[in-house]
C-alpha cells in the first residue's frame, strides 16, 4: 500500500529574552505559515516563547497553568481549526503543586493531549527557575504515532531515548535550545537514533543572547539510523 507522508514544520526561531508579546507574534506567524504549507505537525523550540535568559527581564510571576493562559488557548484554537498538531514549548505552573516546569505541551485538534516536562534542568538563571519533571519520559500519542519528547538536554543521556523506545515510541522529537560551541551538540542526537533505531527530529533555535550564549548557526535536524538526513542552520527567523 502507499506509504503515508507526514509534513513536519520546525520553527527555528530567534526569540528575544523576556519579550513575550514579540515572541508570541513570531510563533503565531510561524504556525500560520506552517499551516499554509499543509504541515501536519508544528514544533516550537525550547524557550521559543521566552528566550533562554528571560528571568532577569520579566521574572516568573507571570507563569500560570496552561488552562489559565489565554495565548495557549488561542494556539489550541488554531490547532483545532487547522487540524494541525502543535508541540508548544513554554514555562508551565502545575495547577495543583504550584511548581514551575520547563514543558512542551502537545496540542492535537485543539486539546492538550500530553505534556512533557524537562528532566535535566540546568542550574543558573536560564533554567534554575524550573523543577525537573518525572523520569523516565513517557511517549505521547499524536495522530496515531507514539512520540518520545526529549526537551534539549534530555536527549543527552542515552537512557532517556531507550526508555521512550521501550515504552513504545516510534519516533523521537527534541525541542531544543542547544547552541554550538564547547558544550554544543556532539553526536547525542545521532546516538539516540542509532541505539534505538528510531528517527530523531530536532527543532533548535537561532539568535544571539550573550557572548556566552550565541545560538547563531545552531542546527535543526532529522536523523535516521544515526545519520542526519536533513540538516539546517538558519541564521535568523
Amino acid at each position: 500500500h502507499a506509504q503515508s507522508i507526514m509534513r513536519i514544520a520546525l520553527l527555528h526561531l530567534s526569540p528575544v529574552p523576556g519579550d513575550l508579546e514579540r515572541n508570541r507574534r513570531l510563533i503565531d506567524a510561524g504556525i500560520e505559515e506552517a499551516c499554509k504549507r499543509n504541515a501536519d505537525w508544528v514544533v516550537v523550540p525550547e524557550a521559543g516563547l521566552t528566550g533562554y535568559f528571560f528571568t532577569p527581564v520579566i521574572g516568573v510571576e507571570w507563569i500560570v497553568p496552561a488552562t489559565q493562559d489565554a495565548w495557549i488557548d488561542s494556539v489550541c484554537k488554531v490547532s483545532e481549526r487547522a487540524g494541525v498538531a502543535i508541540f508548544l514549548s513554554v514555562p508551565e505552573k502545575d495547577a495543583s503543586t504550584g511548581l514551575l516546569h520547563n514543558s512542551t505541551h502537545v496540542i492535537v485538534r485543539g486539546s492538550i493531549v500530553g505534556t512533557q516536562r524537562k528532566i535535566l534542568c540546568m542550574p543558573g538563571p536560564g533554567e534554575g527557575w524550573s523543577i525537573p519533571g518525572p523520569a523516565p519520559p513517557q511517549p505521547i500519542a499524536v495522530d496515531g504515532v507514539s512520540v518520545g519528547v526529549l526537551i534539549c538536554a534530555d536527549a543527552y543521556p542515552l537512557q532517556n531515548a531507550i526508555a521512550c523506545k521501550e515504552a513504545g515510541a516510534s519516533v523521537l522529537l527534541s525541542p531544543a535550545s542547544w547552541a554550538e560551541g564547547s558544550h554544543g551538540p556532539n553526536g547525542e542526537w545521532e546516538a539516540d537514533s542509532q541505539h534505538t533505531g528510531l528517527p530523531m527530529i530536532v527543532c533548535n533555535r537561532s539568535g544571539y543572547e550573550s557572548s556566552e550564549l550565541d545560538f547563531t548557526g545552531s542546527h535543526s535536524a532529522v536523523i535516521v539510523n544515526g545519520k542526519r538526513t536533513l540538516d539546517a542552520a538558519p541564521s535568523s527567523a
Side-chain angles (χ1 to χ4, degrees):
H1 63 279
Q3 186 175 6
S4 60
I5 295 175
M6 179 177 291
R7 291 178 179 265
I8 301 174
L10 308 179
L11 303 189
H12 192 101
L13 304 176
S14 179
V16 172
D19 193 342
L20 298 180
E21 289 306 311
R22 175 199 177 275
N23 298 337
R24 283 172 181 144
R25 290 195 299 270
L26 192 64
I27 292 169
D28 288 343
I31 294 172
E32 181 181 358
E33 180 64 26
C35 291
K36 288 179 181 177
R37 299 189 183 206
N38 298 314
D40 299 295
W41 294 1
V42 184
V43 186
V44 177
E46 180 195 30
L49 171 62
T50 57
Y52 194 72
F53 291 127
F54 71 89
T55 54
V57 183
I58 56 173
V60 298
E61 295 303 316
W62 60 276
I63 303 172
V64 297
T67 55
Q68 300 174 24
D69 189 302
W71 177 68
I72 291 178
D73 185 62
S74 73
V75 174
C76 288
K77 286 181 168 60
V78 172
S79 164
E80 183 175 28
R81 185 172 64 250
V84 65
I86 301 172
F87 295 78
L88 186 65
S89 302
V90 294
E92 174 209 9
K93 176 184 277 189
D94 186 291
S96 58
T97 67
L99 298 176
L100 303 180
H101 300 278
N102 183 354
S103 300
T104 296
H105 298 303
V106 182
I107 303 168
V108 179
R109 290 184 291 280
S111 298
I112 297 176
V113 299
T115 296
Q116 177 62 45
R117 292 169 169 172
K118 189 174 185 179
I119 300 165
L120 289 178
C121 302
M122 302 294 105
E127 299 179 50
W129 55 270
S130 62
I131 300 298
Q138 295 297 309
I140 299 170
V142 185
D143 296 333
V145 179
S146 185
V147 184
V149 179
L150 302 174
I151 302 174
C152 201
D154 288 351
Y156 182 84
L158 186 58
Q159 65 260 31
N160 283 337
I162 292 172
C164 288
K165 165 79 170 186
E166 291 177 345
S170 55
V171 62
L172 302 172
L173 187 145
S174 183
S177 283
W178 204 337
E180 297 293 304
S182 58
H183 300 289
N186 187 29
E188 293 84 1
W189 302 327
E190 290 83 354
D192 286 345
S193 172
Q194 181 68 42
H195 283 269
T196 62
L198 302 180
M200 163 68 93
I201 301 165
V202 180
C203 180
N204 212 337
R205 56 159 291 193
S206 187
Y208 177 90
E209 292 206 11
S210 71
S211 58
E212 293 82 27
L213 199 61
D214 185 359
F215 293 97
T216 306
S218 296
H219 290 251
S220 290
V222 176
I223 297 128
V224 179
N225 296 322
K227 305 292 185 183
R228 294 196 188 196
T229 58
L230 292 172
D231 185 90
S235 59
S236 63

